[in-house]
Amino acid sequence: MTTGAIRLGTRRSALAMAQSGQFAAALERVAGRPVELVQIVSEGDTSRASLSQLGGTGVFATRLREALLAGECDLLVHSLKDLPTADAPGLLLAATPVRADARDVVLTRDGIPLAALAAGSRIGTGSPRRIAQVNRANADVSVHDLRGNVDSRMQRVRDGELDAIVLAAAGLSRLGADIDLRLEPQDLAAWPTAAGQGSLAVETRDDVDDELLAAIRSLDDPATRFAVTVERTILSGVEAGCHAPVGVHADVVDGRLSVRAAVYGARPGDEIVVDHDEAVGEEYIRPQGSGDGADSARRVVPERASAIGTVVAGRLLDRGASDLVSPSTTS
């Protein structure tokens, strides 16, 4: 039995450290070994350029994956929405823990809803998807690029530099931030978010030892894995990168999968929306045990989910989605 510390690679941002620390605590309980955080700096952490200029949010994952492959750490914890949809050679997505709130929230000083903000109000977001959704909620506001950590973003609203910002609810929850601004959560049916938003991705090398892999996989949530696999397959199927104007959300409730996928054009009304609903077999979403049979069952989950995602992506493409996805935003 291995007894040394498990090295968990993470970005150094407050949010990355918080969510990695929460997973580390859970892993310590099931593995019976200490877990230490290894801070890794990526280009996305040091550059002040916009995410679209850097090539999308996949820029955060590249350096971490290099460190994992080089043996600088034993596993990584990512925000799943930051991961490119293509598989990384030599690496394994070993677990997706129970998903947090997948919604976006609009933060303002006084609680005025986004749709009611005055013409010219300044809204902060750097995401093409969120820009499209903001413009559809209120075509009269002005959108400004937004970078920096969560607190610095909120400070721009407190200081009056911006009238509102758009953030992920999951990030605020994981940070446990002291929020003195007013929050307006956005309904996922009208405002589907990034593929994988609210979910963590635990990544290891594909030659990880069986004992550590079993401990990590015990923290996997099959229903979350099923839903986010559908979402990421849709994103990949329309050949859209992780920073493209595409919103998609899938959820499994009481044995039924519901999906909403939207691809946004430059103007309000210029979008394609596809809904999908079907029953999901219990074998795909129940927690698995241990042993070879369980490992086989885990491999089936993404295959079935991927098949559904491919169908939804095909419906989007049939309706012209590829014409709305700019090649410059793919990753």
Side-chain angles (χ1 to χ4, degrees), residues 41 115 126 166 170 181 191 196 203 223 249 256:
V41 180
V166 186
L181 300 174
W191 187 295
E203 201 167 37
H249 181 70
R256 293 203 69 85

Side-chain angles (χ1 to χ4, degrees), residues 33-236:
R33 296 167 56 189
V35 179
E36 62 180 29
L37 300 185
V38 178
Q39 295 186 36
I40 299 165
V41 180
S42 72
E43 180 187 0
D45 294 309
T46 56
S47 174
R48 305 316 303 165
S50 70
L51 291 180
S52 57
Q53 289 175 323
L54 288 172
T57 50
V59 70
F60 292 124
T62 301
R63 171 67 187 110
L64 273 70
R65 285 173 157 175
E66 290 172 349
L68 179 58
L69 287 168
E72 297 175 31
C73 55
D74 302 307
L75 71 154
L76 302 170
V77 172
H78 308 274
S79 293
L80 183 57
K81 68 185 180 68
D82 288 347
L83 285 186
T85 54
D87 291 336
L91 299 182
L92 172 68
L93 183 55
T96 51
V98 175
R99 191 179 204 168
D101 191 341
R103 294 176 297 177
D104 278 342
V105 292
V106 176
L107 289 80
T108 58
R109 289 183 297 279
D110 48 20
I112 297 175
L114 173 61
L117 286 172
S121 294
R122 295 156 296 180
I123 315 300
T125 179
S127 158
R129 169 188 59 81
R130 287 172 174 163
I131 291 170
Q133 291 168 328
V134 166
N135 287 333
R136 282 155 178 76
N138 187 333
D140 296 324
V141 299
S142 174
V143 180
H144 297 259
D145 191 55
L146 187 66
R147 288 293 312 274
N149 61 37
V150 170
D151 191 62
S152 69
R153 296 182 188 202
M154 292 194 294
Q155 193 61 44
R156 294 178 68 181
V157 179
R158 298 185 189 105
D159 292 344
E161 182 182 347
L162 296 172
D163 297 297
I165 58 175
V166 186
L167 298 176
L172 293 174
S173 174
R174 289 182 178 128
L175 270 175
D178 182 15
I179 302 173
D180 54 354
L181 300 174
R182 307 293 288 275
L183 274 63
E184 180 193 3
Q186 302 302 304
D187 182 74
L188 286 164
W191 187 295
T193 50
Q197 183 158 312
S199 178
L200 298 180
V202 185
E203 201 167 37
T204 64
R205 291 184 297 276
D206 58 13
D207 62 354
V208 63
D209 70 80
D210 291 342
E211 185 179 348
L212 177 54
L213 181 58
I216 295 171
R217 281 185 165 170
S218 72
L219 299 171
D220 183 64
D221 179 60
T224 295
R225 179 180 285 259
F226 196 99
V228 299
T229 300
V230 171
E231 294 170 10
R232 286 166 59 79
T233 302
I234 293 169
L235 193 66
S236 175

